[in-house]
Each structure stands twice: as structure tokens, then as C-alpha cells.
Amino acid sequence: TIAGLPNDSFSIENGIIVDKARRWPLCIDPQNQANKWIKKMEHSNKIVVSKFSEGDYLIRLEGAIRFGTPFLIENIQEETDPAIEPILLQQTFKKGNTLMLKLGENIVEYSPQFKFYLTTKLRNPHYLPEVAVKVTLLNFMITQVGLQDQLLNIVVAKEKPDLAEEKARLVVEGAENKKALEDTENKILKVLSESKGNILEDETAIQVLAASKVLANEIAEKQAVAEVTEKEIDAAREGYIPVAFKAAVLFFCVADMANIDPMYQYSLPFYVNLFVMNIEKSEPSENMAKRIDILNESFRFTLYTNICRSLFEKHKLLFSFLITLRGYLAEGLLEMSDYRFLLTGGVSMEEPPPKPAPWVPERTWAEMFRLGLMPGVWEKFYDKVGPEIDRWKAAYDSLEPLNVLRGPDGPETMKPLTPFQGLLVLRCLRPDRVVAAVYQYVADQVGEEFVNPPAFDLAGSYSDSTNFTPLIFVLSPGADPIAAVDKFAGEKGKEVASLSLGQGQGPRAEKLIAEGTEKGSWVMLQNCHLSVSWMPVLDRIVELQPEQPKTHRDYRLWLSSYPAATFPVAILQNGVKMTTEPPKGLRLNIAGSYKMDPISNPEFFDNCTKDYNFKKLLFGLTFFHAVIQERRLYGPLGWNIPYEFTESDLRISVMQLKMFLEEYPEETPFKALNYLTGECNYGGRVTDDKDRRLIMTLLADYYCPEALQKGHTFFGEEFYCPEPDGLTHDQFVEFVRKLPPIPPPGVFGFHDNATLTKDQKETYELMGALLLTVGSSSSGGGSGPEEVVGEVAKEILGRVPEPWHVPTVQEKYPVDYNQSMNTVLAQELQRFNKLIAVIRGSLRDIGKAVQGLLLMSTELEGCFFHIFDGATPEMWLNKSYPSRKPLGSYVNDLCDRLRFFQTWIDEGIPYSFWLSGIYFTQAFTTGVLQNFARKTKHPIDTIGFDFDTPTEYKGKTAEDIKEEDQPADGALVYGMYLEGCKWDQDSWQLEESDPKVLFCALPIVFLIPELKNNFKKFPHYNTPFYKVSTRKGTLSTTGHSTNFVMWMRLNSTLPQTHWTKRGAALLSQLDV
């Protein structure tokens, strides 16, 4: 359009609504489309532009109302100023013949020509109903077609400027011709309506009609010529459509990154500038096809390098993968159903058939079954696994499973599959290798340069900034950019005024910025996420800076913040963003510690009276510091809660180490060092008692007399402390640099299987983040989300029964002093009833909402999309027992639990209990103890559980337990899984896990109520028992953890410390 509104139907409809609607428009405008259009459209009418943050906006608004000039308020937040309410409600009244309006305390003359516009940059604002009903709320988010048209105009203007000019002239001329034609037609109608008597006798009318006819014919001829010329121009422009199309697709890849992290926000002007710069700098070519290829390839790489500097390391591969796949999806080279399966693992309520071999993991077979439910090449895919099971086993056991699957000895079923479809099969078979396969896929499809992101370049980022463009560091735990900024400032000969934001620091920050803009110095505001209330002020300061002529050209504003939704969007979009992360890997971590003050200080490092002991234990301490940080990568296996151990923890521990060694020269005080370092310095952050046990166990390996012996190693032959005699600080650093770059899991205390756990965690995190960038418009087999969710909801409703009538059950199982299980049963049924009511109610409401019979609330919408993605809805989990299962497995598990309790109701108290199937496990264990306490007349706080795994139940299942096996006291329980170890059927105790087997079922356990003083003594591991694999829980109002159940003593001849470092634990359920 002439005023710059995108040419797609969505934008045109918005434009018509703005023009015709009765209420004033409020435009959701993250890419500034509406803003630019309104300013250009109303430019001739002298539009006034203001913001709520400007102090004089009301005075200027009064003038606009009085003189009938358009008024635009831009960048509004989720609340409007109450002062403009009379304008929004159009509360005008007549005083004499004049329209008046009361604005604040003043009564203003109201001009009928006055127009009022509001715009916001927020991507997804939530306006309260009292705002929404007063305005016409319009979404001006740019569409693919609209952006493609804009980018096509830009590329043609750069490549063929004469065509672009001619096209623009024709658009303006066409609009003028149409207006002249409309005026002529109106003139004719006016003459006809005003003519009296016989029109043929009205000479004036005949002359007007004749002149109008001549003019109309001239216009029609001009339009005909213009339309032919325009078609020729459009035909020439069409050659550049592939460039505009691919660039538009890439923009939405960038825009969708904001769903992953709120700091990943980029403005359309930034993107367009990058696009224009690429056209100007790319290699020229006379060959049209070659030129288009050059433009596409160079822009994709330019975009990748620019966006990568503002992404965290874990999201750089994700971005490469996203821009690769989005291009293929847009061109129809990939099926959306395949893409969604890769991200979700499929959606199905059906139980898979029996596994073709015992070695096939449950999760692998469940996903392989869901893959076989998809149409086309995947149909009944799982049936083809059995006949070639040996080939599948070879791939499963291989270090490079995808190469084996696609190799000459791979299964025949893999031969017709594309490289992308190979990733789907790999997700099912070996999810731990998916990230490595994605690297290879991206490198093969678009080039190696897309998997080797550019290094952190502070000078490059600085060169892209101006005195009005802030430089923003997006922080991660352990990262501190201030040293890098100070060093760079030294190179540039600048001073940095630094301030850490927090409560009450706003005025000081404003003063520093004012001084910086005047003198041309640099200002560094750290930790912006801690000063939420001051962020709007910062937003206003940055916004108004370009309008201040006195801003010094050397001035720069540096900001640092952890990812936070409260950080101003306008600053994010217009600033230069960079990410800083601490060094990754054991070797880099230890080397980084040696470069840290005070260890890097020669006076500190070389001047200890007990030099040998100090340097030995110092190396052990830095090794320990690296180990506890690297263990975080292994998820709950490493730490229940991922603590942010920092350099300050290490610094104080190093200083204490030297102090204690000098104060106690006769004997090294290991007990004091262990307590201060483990319990206080590092342990001060540790809130979980299981993690506290772990940190003390790990530290004991480095702070012990053995660590001072010659030849002592931490793990294997490569990981040891060099003999410090005569070694300088630099020689220690050199030794660290020679450590293996990828240490085995044993260095951190893990079994080799832990690598699988870590790699699987990375895969599922990558896929989960990618899922956030996927729209809901399409799904498998061409059916929309409504159809998919409708079918799934119908099936779940058919499977989940109605709630129990608890009073009827209580008649059969009344409250009994000697049988607490009756109370446990009644309480369990009440809990499950609440869950059943939520599930059935939400599914019925979704059915009605899809048919348009019910308003879809935010909560219900979340439930809808969770079901579409095959995930268990948050709405259900809020009323549910803890679970990490996908939707199909969750429903199957719930039905199994309900059947267990129905059997209990129908057949009486079970002989053995499915401990994992009980909603509130602690209530059941308390009930067992209560029965014993009442029977023996012992106070309940003096008794606890002793544990036994009776050999007479070896190989037996719950169904094999008969009435005669039921113990007089206590309970037989089953359904638990071991992680980090296995239960050996021969030695009948805990042993190391089998390769690639992450979880192992525990045999039937006998919970024996006993006086705490009478517990049996036997070699054991005190195993923590959790409900779900996250292991992290919160303390609920009942006084129990929401995840941890109890400690279980299990047979083991290996020491406690061994299994503690392994992260061995019991789980009540798996994630599949």
C-alpha cells in the first residue's frame, strides 16, 4: 500500500477495521508495522506521537483534540493511563453547538477530525477486560505473506532500482486515477440528482456529463496501460520471490526463539537492515539463478553468525537445526507429522504389543510402536523390527548407531528412509545419540560452518553498537563479564563506571548515565534482573536518548542480566546482545581456577610454610570444585538440586586452606577443613540432605591423608596431582591443559551409563525447546489439532471411570482402630476422586470448547495444547500424584492404579501392595507403622522400618503372593526401580549396572516394623527412595516431601560412599 501497510489480506483487514471501527484502535505491534503505517498515513495531517512515559503528553493530547490532529501513543504496556478513559469511551457532550470533552480537570473543545491510536510492542500482552472493551484490539503481528512482500520490494529496489521506482510510481498513479474516477462518478450522480425536468434541456448538466465521460475514458485508458506495465514489472520481480520467501521463513525462526528464552527478542528493523547489508555485500553475479543462490546462502550464514552471539551455547545447535528444518518444511520437503514425532515421540493411548526381544528398552518399544501408527512409510513399522532383531541389536550396541542403521548391514526397513527420517528412528532406538546425529545432519544439509558457531567477540559487538544502542550481556550461572569489559575498556582507553543494580540503586544509575552521556564515558549496570521496578525507568531513558542532542558519541551503556521476562522488550530488540558462559569441561574449569585471584598471585601461591601439602591439597580443591560443577550436567543423577557453586566459594576455601596449614604445622587438620569447606563454604548453598551427604562424600576424596601421598590418583592413571616439588604456577596450569579433554564419568564418581543419562537429558531438552517454536496449525496425517485432541479426549473419557462413591466403600471398610489400612483406602479414594473429576471435567469442557459451546479459558487452552503435544496437562498434574510420564503412559498408569484400588475394594486388603501405585505413599507407610504400634502398644515415634528382600520370593511377582505368604506385621511391597545400580539375582545384593541398562526393577521388599533399637545390622547402602526421577521436591503442608519417600537399607558389600557418588536411588516410577 502507499502508506507501507503489508499487502496481505490479514493486514488489509486490520487497516479497514482501523478506518471503520467505532472504538479507537489498540494495535499489538511487536514489529512496528502498525506504528510505521499510522505515522506515514497521517503524516500529511501532522500526526502527534507521544508515550505515556513523557511528562507533557496530556498537554499535547489536549492540543490534538482541540485542533483535530491525529494522536498516536506508542509503546504502551499492559495498563493504560486512567486519564485517557474519556477519550476511549468517547464521552463527548454538547455545549451550545460545540462538542466538548472533559480531559482530567479541563474541558476541551472536541474536533470531529480528531483521531486516536494506541500501539504496544509486547508480543503477547494480557489486557484486562476493562481495557479490552474500550478499544478495538488488533493484532498487527507480521504475517509470512506480508513480510515476503516487503522483503521482495527491498530486494528488487536494491537489485533493480528502475523497476522498483516504476512500480512505486504506478501504485501511486493507480490510486490517484481511482480517486479521480470515483470523484467523476460522484459528480455525475450529483448532477443527475440535482437536475429538474428534462435533463436533455439542461445544457450545464450535458456539458458536465460529457466532460466526465471524456475524463473517465482517459482514466480507463491510463489504467489499462498501467495494468499491462505492472504485469510486466511483476513478472520481472517474480524472479526474486525465492529470496524474499526464504528470508521471510528465516525471520519467523528468529521471532520464535523468544518462546524459548525471553531475552531472544529481535526487531524487524534489525532483521531488515541485516537483509539489506547482505544484499549490498554479497558477491555479484550476472546469472539470475546463481545470484539468487548467493543471496540465499550468504544471508542464512550472516543471520546465523549475528544471532548466535546472543544465544546460549545449548541453543546454538537448536537454532541451526531450526533454520534448516523450517526451510524444508516451507518448501514441502518434510512432513510436519514427522517433525512433530521427532519432538514429542508421538501421541497414542494404545498399549504397545509385546517386545520382540528382552533387551529392547520399554521407552524404545513404546516410541517405536507410536511411530508405526503414523501413515505412509511408517505404517506398522514396529512389525518389521522382529524379523531383523539381530541387525537392530547391532545398531543398539554400536557407538555410532545411525551409521550402522544406514549402513549395508543395517535393517532393510531403513533403506527407503530419508536422512531426516533416520533421526526419528534414532530417537526411538538410541535417544542419547540424537544430539550428535543432529550435528551431523545440519553439517550435511547446510554446511560445517553452521555447527561451528563464531567465538565470543567483544570488539565485533562493540563495533555494531552506537551511543544510543545498549550492549547487553545475557548471563548464565558462574559467568561474570565485568573483567572482559574492564580489559576491553583499557584497550580503548576508556573508564567504566560500574554499578550492581538492586534495591534503591536506581537514582545512582540515572546519575551515572547522565554523567556518561555528557562526558562520553562507559556505564556498566550489572544484574538488571534484580531491579524489576526500575526497568521501566531505564526503558524510558534509553528510548529518549536519540532525542537528546548532547549525548556524547563515545558514550556506551553496558547492561547485564539473567534471562528475565521483566527486561524491557524495546531495549532487547534494539540493543546488541551477547551471552557469556563460564568455561565448560573439567580441564577448562581447573585451568580457570588457577587463573583466579588469589591462586594466580605468586606471593600467595609460593609462600606457604607447608608448600608441599598446600599445593597438593590446593590442586585437589580445584579438582573438587570442577567435579561438583560438572556433575550438574548429569541432572538428578548428579545433584537433586542444581546448585550454583561460584568462584567465591572456591576463593574462601583456598584462603582457609592456607591459613589452617600455616596455623597447624604439626598436623593437617582434615576434620576442620572438611567441615568448613563442605558444610559451610560450599554446603551453605546445599539445601537437600541427600546432596549434603554427597558433597561431604566427594570432598573426603580430596581432603584426606591419602591425597598427600606420592602417586595418589583421583581416578585412573591420568587424573592425579603432580608432585609439587619445584613446580611453578605456570607448570601446574600446563599440566592441567594436558588432562584428557573429555573425562570418563568415573572421574565424577559415576558408572559409564551416566553418559547415556546425560546425553538423553540433552536430547529431550533440545526437543522440548524446539517444540516451543512449533505452531499448532498442522499435525500428523493432515488432521488439525481439534480433530487429534477430540479423538484423544474421547478415548481417555472412555477409559477413565467415574469417581468412587466413598461412603459406600467406607461401609465395607469402616474406621478400625486395629486396621489403619481402611483409613488409608478411604483417603486414597478421595484423592483419586479429585483427580478423576479434574480429568473428566477438563476433557468434557475441551469437547464443548472445540464445538464453540464454551469459552476456551487460558487453563483449558494449555490443557488442549498439552494433549496435542502428547504431554500430560499441567491442569491435571496440579491435582495428581507426581509423574513425568507422557500422556499415553500417564493414562495407562492411572488406569492401572484405579484397577489396583478397585481390586482392593472388591477382594479385600491385598496380600502385597503396589507401593508405586499409591497416591500418598507416606500415608500408607504410616498406616503400616500405626498397625504395629497399636498391636504392640509401643509409641509410634520409637518404631521404624527395617528392610528385607526375602530370597523365598526370588523370581516371584505380586500375583504369586498368596494369603499364607502374608506377614503378620509389616507389608510386602513391589513396583520400585533402581537407578545408578542394579539388583543382582545371583549375589542377591546391589551391584554395578549392566551396560546401557539405566533402570532395574527391585524384587519384592518386606517392610518390617521394628523398634529402632532392634534394627538388624548388615552390610547395606542407605538408599533414598523417590516418587519420580527429578528427585527434587518441596516440603508440603503435611510435613512430607512431595518427592522423597524414605530411606531403604538394601544389601550391599560395597561401601556407602561408592553408591552415594554413583547417585544410586530408588524410584517409584519411570518416565515412560
Side-chain angles (χ1 to χ4, degrees), residues 889-1043:
S889 303
Y890 178 85
V891 173
N892 293 338
D893 176 61
L894 174 63
C895 293
D896 289 343
R897 289 171 187 251
L898 300 181
R899 272 194 295 273
F900 170 74
F901 282 101
Q902 191 58 52
T903 307
W904 185 339
I905 294 165
D906 296 341
E907 299 176 8
I909 295 172
Y911 306 134
S912 62
F913 293 88
W914 180 26
L915 192 62
S916 307
I918 293 168
Y919 190 118
F920 187 31
T921 322
Q922 290 94 329
F924 168 76
T925 53
T926 305
V928 175
L929 290 175
Q930 207 168 52
N931 279 351
F932 179 75
R934 287 171 176 175
K935 180 179 174 182
T936 59
K937 305 290 191 291
H938 289 301
I940 196 166
D941 56 348
T942 62
I943 58 173
F945 281 121
D946 210 349
F947 303 92
D948 189 18
T949 43
T951 49
E952 57 264 32
Y953 302 132
K954 188 185 280 192
K956 286 189 175 183
T957 63
E959 288 75 29
D960 301 326
I961 307 296
K962 304 301 177 197
E963 189 174 358
E964 57 271 18
D965 298 318
Q966 192 176 15
D969 298 312
L972 295 171
V973 296
Y974 62 91
M976 291 157 286
Y977 299 88
L978 285 163
E979 183 182 18
C981 58
K982 73 167 184 180
W983 187 264
D984 191 89
Q985 293 293 325
D986 299 324
S987 63
W988 206 243
Q989 64 172 4
L990 296 180
E991 296 287 358
E992 294 288 8
S993 303
D994 293 328
K996 294 193 183 68
V997 181
L998 303 180
F999 303 98
C1000 164
L1002 187 69
I1004 292 171
V1005 175
F1006 184 14
L1007 300 183
I1008 310 166
E1010 186 58 84
L1011 287 167
K1012 290 175 183 175
N1013 298 333
N1014 297 344
F1015 284 174
K1016 293 196 304 286
K1017 288 184 171 58
F1018 61 96
H1020 68 275
Y1021 167 55
N1022 209 18
T1023 319
F1025 174 32
Y1026 301 95
K1027 292 181 182 178
V1028 286
S1029 63
T1030 50
R1031 303 195 185 186
K1032 181 171 65 175
T1034 54
L1035 205 62
S1036 64
T1037 51
T1038 57
H1040 296 95
S1041 167
T1042 53
N1043 200 346

Side-chain angles (χ1 to χ4, degrees), residues 80-95:
T80 57
D81 190 335
I84 65 164
E85 195 160 307
I87 302 172
L88 297 180
L89 294 172
Q90 299 181 23
Q91 292 174 336
T92 56
F93 58 92
K94 274 202 170 183
K95 194 173 182 181

Side-chain angles (χ1 to χ4, degrees), residues 12 66 95 104 115 220 224 264 297 307 324 377 477 503 540 581 619 673 696 788 832 851 904 942 1030 1035 1046 1060:
I12 291 166
R66 194 171 275 122
K95 194 173 182 181
K115 288 183 182 177
Y264 297 163
E297 294 300 318
I307 299 296
T324 306
V377 71
Q503 193 172 2
R540 188 173 73 244
E581 297 183 73
F619 187 84
L673 285 170
M696 296 308 293
V788 173
F832 276 109
Q851 293 169 24
W904 185 339
T942 62
T1030 50
L1035 205 62
M1046 61 179 167
T1060 302

Side-chain angles (χ1 to χ4, degrees), residues 91-105:
Q91 292 174 336
T92 56
F93 58 92
K94 274 202 170 183
K95 194 173 182 181
N97 290 327
T98 312
L99 269 178
M100 309 296 282
L101 180 126
K102 188 174 182 185
L103 189 66
E105 295 298 315

Side-chain angles (χ1 to χ4, degrees), residues 2 10 44 213 263 280 561:
I2 297 171
F10 184 70
S44 58
K213 187 182 178 185
M263 305 300 271
E280 291 169 352
S561 174

